[in-house]
Amino acid sequence: MCESHPNQNKTKQSFHHMKEFSKDSIWQVRNSTLGVYVHFPYCLKKCDYCDFYSEGIGSGPANDESTLFSAYQSEVSERISHFPKLRERTVDTVFFGGGTPSKASTKLWKQFLEFLRSEFSFADDTEISIEVNPEDLSPDLLDEYAKIGINRVNVGVQTLHPEGLSFLGRHYDKGKYTSLVTTLTHSPIQRVGIDLMYGIPGLKSSDFYRDLDQFLSAGLPHLSLYSLTLEKGTKYSRDVSDSIKREPEEITQAEILVTLPELMEKFGYRWYEVSNYAKPGYESKHNLKYWTYEPYLGIGPGAHGMIEGHRYGNPRNANLYQKKQTEAKYEPATPSSELSLTLFRLFSPFRYLEFIETHLEKNSQSKYIQTIQSWEKRGLCDLSDGVFQWRKEALLLLDDLILEISD
Ligand code: SF4
């Protein structure tokens, strides 16, 4: 099965410099639908490099699992009461993230989905994703998920090398890692993907490519290929300061980053975001919402949302979240500074004029357009009929270029 993204515009465009990029998937503004993100904050073990809100609680279930799920429902009802117009939107993506949402019971996800369906109308092709950690992955679990309507699974593999997992402070279960590729290739859910990380000290580039090769040979439709980063406040960053661990291998990371687009294209993947590759039609519709500035409800401790032109963030504390000690605070979204941070991470083409005209005030519009035209003159992007696409030359400069266009 190959679903096509509702944002896809099949009209052929003339792209003179885009031989290496897909021409039939052009992202455009879509504002009437809604994504729902739910954060489940518990993990078997807190990984050393992780700066998400997550707590390591060992292999058993969380003590507060059912009260947490009740709190999710209360939060949805509250957000709707603050913004009743939310109900007019059709939900077309749901994403269970974390943390490790595969640690929570499938029954609770099922009930929560039923609740969401009672509150909102769902699109026929709604993408319902869950993040799964290797220790939870099994054919039975995938069957359970398929039965409750989950239709996309992403597994946080990071590396298949035990020494790499140990460097990252990740749990390692030999049996699960050995059977992982087979389990995913026999999944009853077609839309499967994995996260792989590169630049882990102690591993060579060839170790990363050997892992990648396994997933490419298996033909998994979605691959997120990230570099390890050092995030402030993590155990990894403290270990680097104390000279216990080495920093990420930045030179190796840059080499891999620029090699991947061509390699992945040979295997039939579209490079649609700086770190994300998908077989055509298998892009993450939910993550595309973040990159194309579409509204989403963020539910759960540590979750963020953007609804009806407002942003909010929940406390990074499961107890506090359940006690509802925080006021509902909303800040107006500021597209003039936010749009650039998301949209220009896309490496597939998008209708830049439409995005700019929809989201920005007149004075910000001209600044954006001038900067974009200067990029075209420098040979960093292609523009055609209101459509923008980065050239590969922009890749290593991306952070600086995004700063150039931000307010
Ligand atoms: S399993 Fe994922 S969310 Fe949990 S601590 Fe590790 S990286 Fe963070």
Side-chain angles (χ1 to χ4, degrees), residues 145-199:
Y145 286 166
K147 282 197 188 103
I148 68 165
I150 289 175
N151 54 23
R152 186 170 181 277
V153 166
N154 194 65
V155 182
V157 176
Q158 319 311 348
T159 169
L160 294 171
H161 294 267
E163 60 277 33
L165 292 165
S166 149
F167 184 92
L168 298 173
R170 274 180 84 83
H171 174 74
Y172 174 58
D173 176 331
K174 190 171 178 210
K176 293 286 185 182
Y177 272 81
T178 318
S179 57
L180 202 143
V181 178
T182 315
T183 307
L184 288 178
T185 42
H186 292 87
S187 164
I189 295 170
Q190 306 283 308
R191 299 172 76 82
V192 290
I194 50 121
D195 293 350
L196 268 191
M197 197 181 262
Y198 52 89

Side-chain angles (χ1 to χ4, degrees), residues 23 69 73 85 96 101 163 220 246 267 281 299 318 322 337:
K23 300 177 186 60
F69 274 76
Q73 295 200 8
K85 274 186 172 275
F96 301 144
E163 60 277 33
L220 289 200
R246 278 156 51 201
F267 283 85
I299 300 296
Q322 286 169 75
S337 54

Side-chain angles (χ1 to χ4, degrees), residues 43 45-47 49-50 52 54 98-100 133 170:
C43 299
K45 175 182 185 304
K46 177 83 184 174
C47 304
Y49 63 96
C50 176
F52 293 112
S54 58
T100 306
N133 260 20
R170 274 180 84 83

Side-chain angles (χ1 to χ4, degrees), residues 314-372:
N314 286 336
R316 285 167 67 100
N317 179 312
N319 275 330
L320 203 59
Y321 171 76
Q322 286 169 75
K323 286 187 193 142
K324 294 266 178 278
Q325 287 180 345
T326 43
E327 288 276 307
K329 280 201 202 128
Y330 295 97
E331 302 279 344
T334 50
S336 59
S337 54
E338 293 168 8
L339 187 66
S340 58
L341 301 176
T342 57
L343 198 56
F344 292 97
R345 293 184 60 84
L346 291 177
F347 271 77
S348 42
F350 55 86
R351 299 194 175 280
Y352 78 105
L353 283 180
E354 193 184 85
F355 279 100
I356 289 171
E357 282 160 13
T358 305
H359 294 295
L360 302 180
E361 304 284 338
K362 276 273 176 296
N363 51 349
S364 300
Q365 285 184 15
S366 50
K367 187 187 168 230
Y368 264 61
I369 289 169
Q370 278 166 20
T371 311
I372 289 169

